[in-house]
Amino acid sequence: MPVTIDRTTSSRRAPPQPARLSLTPAPGGLDGMWWPRSRALTRELPALTAALVEQWGRITGVTVHPTHWPVIPHWVSVAGRTVQVGWSTETQDPHRLTLSLPDGRRDVLVIPPETRAEAAAQLMAGDGTEAPAREEAADRIDARIREEAWETDGGAGRAVVPAPVYRIGRPFAHRSTEVRGP
């Protein structure tokens, strides 16, 4: 059986988009803000670490909190080098990413990828807002996104379902039963 190969199409992947990053230090120990395009670390971390190498030097490791990342790789490849990726639920803030460098570490606020452009721009502006306030804003965005997903997936808030008034000829007290989502 003959095989036809179309040489006009490229088998190469599209180049990664540049990282959306602000390296404006903020009070509270933040060294910058990062707005990833997705929650796929294998796709997002190479662009981030490549952009940071120019500013901070060689990145040797990345630590995240697993709450917002569905898959955490053990390492990612950046410009032919390996960057170790780890996670911690005890020492890592859910909205921060810690980057290890030969001369220390840097903490970056992670703006949820689902954030609208206007809100992300405000968080990345570096307007002197302290780190806890920025983390609270990121937490509110994550909570709103979870609620919107819940509502979209068919989970409604609370529905009031009237209880039966009669049951085999015996009256019940007229009351309603609250049905709550999980």
Side-chain angles (χ1 to χ4, degrees), residues 3-5 9 33-34 39 46 56 60 63 69 81 86 99-100 108 116 120 122 131 135 144 155 161 171 175:
V3 176
T4 305
I5 299 174
T9 60
M33 280 69 63
W34 175 48
R39 295 203 185 261
W56 294 341
T60 58
T63 305
W69 305 103
R81 294 190 44 256
L99 300 150
S100 301
V108 176
R116 292 187 180 102
Q122 283 181 332
E135 289 167 355
R144 188 193 70 225
V161 178
R175 66 179 189 270

Side-chain angles (χ1 to χ4, degrees), residues 96-165:
R96 288 190 186 207
L97 179 102
T98 300
L99 300 150
S100 301
L101 295 97
D103 65 343
R105 64 179 246 179
R106 299 280 190 333
D107 287 313
V108 176
L109 175 71
V110 178
I111 299 169
E114 302 86 359
T115 305
R116 292 187 180 102
E118 305 84 39
Q122 283 181 332
L123 286 170
M124 292 179 78
D127 58 2
T129 305
E130 292 202 18
R134 290 180 191 206
E135 289 167 355
E136 282 179 28
D139 200 31
R140 282 192 308 272
I141 290 166
D142 274 327
R144 188 193 70 225
I145 291 164
R146 282 192 304 272
E147 184 177 331
E148 287 174 0
W150 171 255
E151 294 293 330
T152 305
D153 290 343
R158 289 191 253 172
V160 177
V161 178
V165 178

Side-chain angles (χ1 to χ4, degrees), residues 34-49 69:
W34 175 48
W35 183 27
R37 289 177 170 79
S38 71
R39 295 203 185 261
L41 285 174
T42 54
R43 189 177 326 140
E44 299 293 335
L45 283 179
L48 173 66
T49 54
W69 305 103

